[in-house]
Short mmCIF file of all heavy atoms in Angstrom, two decimals:
data_model
loop_
_atom_site.label_atom_id
_atom_site.label_comp_id
_atom_site.label_asym_id
_atom_site.label_seq_id
_atom_site.Cartn_x
_atom_site.Cartn_y
_atom_site.Cartn_z
N ILE A 7 51.17 17.37 103.94
CA ILE A 7 50.41 16.25 103.41
C ILE A 7 51.37 15.16 102.94
O ILE A 7 52.26 15.37 102.07
CB ILE A 7 49.54 16.69 102.21
CG1 ILE A 7 48.59 17.88 102.61
CG2 ILE A 7 48.77 15.51 101.63
CD1 ILE A 7 47.78 18.44 101.47
N HIS A 8 51.17 13.97 103.50
CA HIS A 8 51.87 12.78 103.00
C HIS A 8 50.94 11.95 102.18
O HIS A 8 49.82 11.59 102.66
CB HIS A 8 52.31 11.86 104.23
CG HIS A 8 53.26 12.50 105.23
ND1 HIS A 8 54.59 12.69 105.01
CD2 HIS A 8 53.02 12.97 106.47
CE1 HIS A 8 55.14 13.20 106.09
NE2 HIS A 8 54.19 13.42 106.98
N GLY A 9 51.28 11.63 100.96
CA GLY A 9 50.43 10.88 100.08
C GLY A 9 50.44 9.40 100.36
O GLY A 9 50.95 8.89 101.36
N PRO A 10 49.96 8.62 99.37
CA PRO A 10 49.77 7.17 99.57
C PRO A 10 51.04 6.38 99.85
O PRO A 10 52.08 6.65 99.30
CB PRO A 10 49.16 6.73 98.21
CG PRO A 10 49.47 7.80 97.24
CD PRO A 10 49.53 9.06 98.03
N ILE A 49 48.86 15.46 107.81
CA ILE A 49 47.95 14.35 107.54
C ILE A 49 48.63 13.42 106.55
O ILE A 49 49.53 13.77 105.83
CB ILE A 49 46.59 14.86 106.91
CG1 ILE A 49 46.85 15.50 105.57
CG2 ILE A 49 45.94 15.87 107.80
CD1 ILE A 49 46.22 14.71 104.46
N GLN A 50 48.21 12.16 106.59
CA GLN A 50 48.63 11.15 105.58
C GLN A 50 47.35 10.56 104.97
O GLN A 50 46.42 10.20 105.75
CB GLN A 50 49.49 10.09 106.25
CG GLN A 50 50.14 9.11 105.27
CD GLN A 50 49.21 7.96 104.84
OE1 GLN A 50 48.39 7.47 105.62
NE2 GLN A 50 49.36 7.53 103.56
N SER A 51 47.30 10.44 103.71
CA SER A 51 46.12 9.77 103.10
C SER A 51 46.54 8.96 101.89
O SER A 51 47.39 9.39 101.09
CB SER A 51 45.06 10.82 102.69
OG SER A 51 44.02 10.13 102.09
N ASP A 52 45.85 7.89 101.70
CA ASP A 52 46.07 6.99 100.55
C ASP A 52 45.05 7.41 99.43
O ASP A 52 45.04 6.72 98.38
CB ASP A 52 45.88 5.50 100.91
CG ASP A 52 46.97 5.04 101.85
OD1 ASP A 52 48.06 5.58 101.77
OD2 ASP A 52 46.69 4.07 102.58
N HIS A 53 44.13 8.33 99.75
CA HIS A 53 43.02 8.57 98.86
C HIS A 53 43.10 9.98 98.14
O HIS A 53 43.13 10.98 98.80
CB HIS A 53 41.74 8.52 99.63
CG HIS A 53 41.57 7.14 100.32
ND1 HIS A 53 41.21 6.06 99.68
CD2 HIS A 53 41.79 6.81 101.58
CE1 HIS A 53 41.18 4.97 100.51
NE2 HIS A 53 41.59 5.46 101.68
N GLU A 54 43.13 9.91 96.83
CA GLU A 54 43.29 11.10 96.04
C GLU A 54 42.21 12.16 96.43
O GLU A 54 42.47 13.33 96.62
CB GLU A 54 43.21 10.72 94.59
CG GLU A 54 43.44 11.91 93.62
CD GLU A 54 43.49 11.43 92.20
OE1 GLU A 54 42.90 10.40 91.90
OE2 GLU A 54 44.03 12.18 91.36
N GLY A 55 40.92 11.67 96.48
CA GLY A 55 39.78 12.60 96.73
C GLY A 55 39.93 13.30 98.07
O GLY A 55 39.59 14.47 98.23
N ASP A 56 40.39 12.53 99.08
CA ASP A 56 40.59 13.10 100.43
C ASP A 56 41.65 14.25 100.39
O ASP A 56 41.49 15.27 100.97
CB ASP A 56 41.03 12.08 101.45
CG ASP A 56 39.98 11.08 101.82
OD1 ASP A 56 38.80 11.36 101.45
OD2 ASP A 56 40.34 10.05 102.42
N ILE A 57 42.68 13.96 99.64
CA ILE A 57 43.78 15.01 99.61
C ILE A 57 43.26 16.22 98.80
O ILE A 57 43.50 17.37 99.22
CB ILE A 57 45.04 14.35 98.81
CG1 ILE A 57 45.59 13.27 99.66
CG2 ILE A 57 46.08 15.47 98.59
CD1 ILE A 57 46.73 12.39 99.06
N VAL A 58 42.47 16.02 97.75
CA VAL A 58 41.89 17.16 96.99
C VAL A 58 40.99 17.96 97.96
O VAL A 58 41.07 19.22 97.95
CB VAL A 58 41.07 16.64 95.79
CG1 VAL A 58 40.21 17.71 95.14
CG2 VAL A 58 42.02 15.99 94.77
N GLN A 59 40.16 17.33 98.78
CA GLN A 59 39.23 18.00 99.68
C GLN A 59 39.99 18.76 100.73
O GLN A 59 39.65 19.91 101.05
CB GLN A 59 38.31 17.01 100.39
CG GLN A 59 37.13 16.67 99.45
CD GLN A 59 36.14 15.80 100.17
OE1 GLN A 59 36.34 15.30 101.29
NE2 GLN A 59 34.99 15.63 99.55
N ILE A 60 41.03 18.19 101.27
CA ILE A 60 41.82 18.85 102.32
C ILE A 60 42.50 20.12 101.75
O ILE A 60 42.49 21.18 102.39
CB ILE A 60 42.91 17.87 102.88
CG1 ILE A 60 42.19 16.83 103.78
CG2 ILE A 60 43.93 18.59 103.75
CD1 ILE A 60 42.95 15.55 104.04
N ILE A 61 43.04 20.01 100.55
CA ILE A 61 43.63 21.17 99.96
C ILE A 61 42.57 22.23 99.63
O ILE A 61 42.72 23.43 99.92
CB ILE A 61 44.41 20.79 98.61
CG1 ILE A 61 45.58 19.88 98.98
CG2 ILE A 61 44.88 22.05 97.88
CD1 ILE A 61 46.25 19.26 97.79
N GLY A 62 41.42 21.78 99.16
CA GLY A 62 40.31 22.68 98.82
C GLY A 62 39.81 23.46 100.02
O GLY A 62 39.34 24.65 99.87
N ILE A 73 53.99 19.23 100.62
CA ILE A 73 53.35 17.97 100.14
C ILE A 73 54.31 16.95 99.55
O ILE A 73 55.15 17.38 98.70
CB ILE A 73 52.18 18.26 99.16
CG1 ILE A 73 51.43 17.00 98.80
CG2 ILE A 73 52.63 19.05 97.91
CD1 ILE A 73 50.08 17.22 98.08
N PRO A 75 53.31 14.14 97.34
CA PRO A 75 52.15 13.51 96.73
C PRO A 75 52.34 12.03 96.42
O PRO A 75 51.41 11.38 95.94
CB PRO A 75 51.93 14.30 95.46
CG PRO A 75 52.91 15.46 95.47
CD PRO A 75 54.01 15.04 96.42
N ALA A 77 52.84 8.64 94.78
CA ALA A 77 52.58 8.17 93.41
C ALA A 77 51.64 9.11 92.68
O ALA A 77 51.68 9.23 91.40
CB ALA A 77 51.91 6.75 93.45
N TYR A 78 50.79 9.90 93.40
CA TYR A 78 49.93 10.84 92.74
C TYR A 78 50.68 12.01 92.05
O TYR A 78 50.16 12.74 91.22
CB TYR A 78 48.93 11.45 93.72
CG TYR A 78 47.90 10.45 94.21
CD1 TYR A 78 47.50 10.44 95.52
CD2 TYR A 78 47.32 9.57 93.30
CE1 TYR A 78 46.57 9.51 95.96
CE2 TYR A 78 46.34 8.67 93.77
CZ TYR A 78 45.95 8.65 95.09
OH TYR A 78 45.05 7.77 95.51
N THR A 79 52.00 12.16 92.42
CA THR A 79 52.85 13.13 91.78
C THR A 79 52.72 13.00 90.25
O THR A 79 52.71 13.93 89.49
CB THR A 79 54.30 12.86 92.15
OG1 THR A 79 54.46 12.86 93.54
CG2 THR A 79 55.26 13.88 91.49
N HIS A 80 52.69 11.72 89.82
CA HIS A 80 52.86 11.43 88.40
C HIS A 80 51.53 11.24 87.65
O HIS A 80 51.50 11.00 86.49
CB HIS A 80 53.72 10.13 88.25
CG HIS A 80 54.85 10.06 89.25
ND1 HIS A 80 55.90 11.00 89.18
CD2 HIS A 80 55.14 9.25 90.32
CE1 HIS A 80 56.74 10.69 90.19
NE2 HIS A 80 56.27 9.65 90.88
N THR A 81 50.46 11.26 88.45
CA THR A 81 49.18 10.98 87.80
C THR A 81 48.02 11.94 88.09
O THR A 81 47.04 11.97 87.38
CB THR A 81 48.61 9.59 88.34
OG1 THR A 81 48.41 9.70 89.77
CG2 THR A 81 49.60 8.49 88.01
N SER A 82 48.11 12.76 89.14
CA SER A 82 46.92 13.42 89.61
C SER A 82 46.72 14.88 89.09
O SER A 82 47.28 15.86 89.69
CB SER A 82 46.88 13.45 91.17
OG SER A 82 45.63 14.06 91.57
N VAL A 83 45.91 14.97 88.10
CA VAL A 83 45.47 16.31 87.58
C VAL A 83 44.61 16.93 88.67
O VAL A 83 44.66 18.17 88.92
CB VAL A 83 44.72 16.17 86.26
CG1 VAL A 83 44.21 17.54 85.83
CG2 VAL A 83 45.64 15.55 85.19
N ALA A 84 43.86 16.14 89.45
CA ALA A 84 42.96 16.64 90.44
C ALA A 84 43.70 17.33 91.60
O ALA A 84 43.33 18.44 92.05
CB ALA A 84 42.10 15.50 91.00
N ILE A 85 44.81 16.75 92.06
CA ILE A 85 45.62 17.43 93.15
C ILE A 85 46.30 18.67 92.61
O ILE A 85 46.27 19.67 93.23
CB ILE A 85 46.64 16.43 93.75
CG1 ILE A 85 45.87 15.31 94.49
CG2 ILE A 85 47.58 17.11 94.73
CD1 ILE A 85 46.73 14.16 95.05
N ARG A 86 46.81 18.55 91.38
CA ARG A 86 47.44 19.79 90.78
C ARG A 86 46.42 20.91 90.70
O ARG A 86 46.69 22.04 91.02
CB ARG A 86 47.89 19.37 89.38
CG ARG A 86 48.42 20.54 88.57
CD ARG A 86 48.40 20.16 87.12
NE ARG A 86 48.78 21.27 86.21
CZ ARG A 86 49.87 21.27 85.45
NH1 ARG A 86 50.62 20.20 85.43
NH2 ARG A 86 50.10 22.27 84.64
N ASP A 87 45.16 20.59 90.25
CA ASP A 87 44.13 21.62 90.06
C ASP A 87 43.73 22.18 91.45
O ASP A 87 43.43 23.39 91.54
CB ASP A 87 42.92 21.06 89.33
CG ASP A 87 43.13 20.89 87.87
OD1 ASP A 87 44.21 21.30 87.36
OD2 ASP A 87 42.25 20.35 87.13
N ALA A 88 43.68 21.38 92.41
CA ALA A 88 43.36 21.87 93.81
C ALA A 88 44.39 22.84 94.29
O ALA A 88 44.06 23.88 94.84
CB ALA A 88 43.23 20.65 94.75
N LEU A 115 53.29 16.12 87.81
CA LEU A 115 52.18 17.03 87.41
C LEU A 115 52.01 18.20 88.39
O LEU A 115 51.35 19.18 88.12
CB LEU A 115 50.87 16.24 87.31
CG LEU A 115 50.84 15.11 86.27
CD1 LEU A 115 49.39 14.50 86.19
CD2 LEU A 115 51.25 15.58 84.89
N ILE A 116 52.66 17.97 89.56
CA ILE A 116 52.53 18.98 90.65
C ILE A 116 53.54 20.12 90.51
O ILE A 116 53.26 21.26 90.86
CB ILE A 116 52.70 18.26 92.05
CG1 ILE A 116 51.79 17.04 92.15
CG2 ILE A 116 52.46 19.23 93.16
CD1 ILE A 116 50.32 17.25 91.92
#
Side-chain angles (χ1 to χ4, degrees):
I7 303 173
H8 300 281
I49 67 112
Q50 188 277 326
S51 177
D52 293 333
H53 304 283
E54 185 177 20
D56 288 349
I57 296 172
V58 169
Q59 277 186 350
I60 287 159
I61 295 171
I73 184 168
Y78 290 139
T79 305
H80 320 295
T81 62
S82 183
V83 176
I85 293 175
R86 173 200 176 118
D87 285 354
L115 298 186
I116 309 304

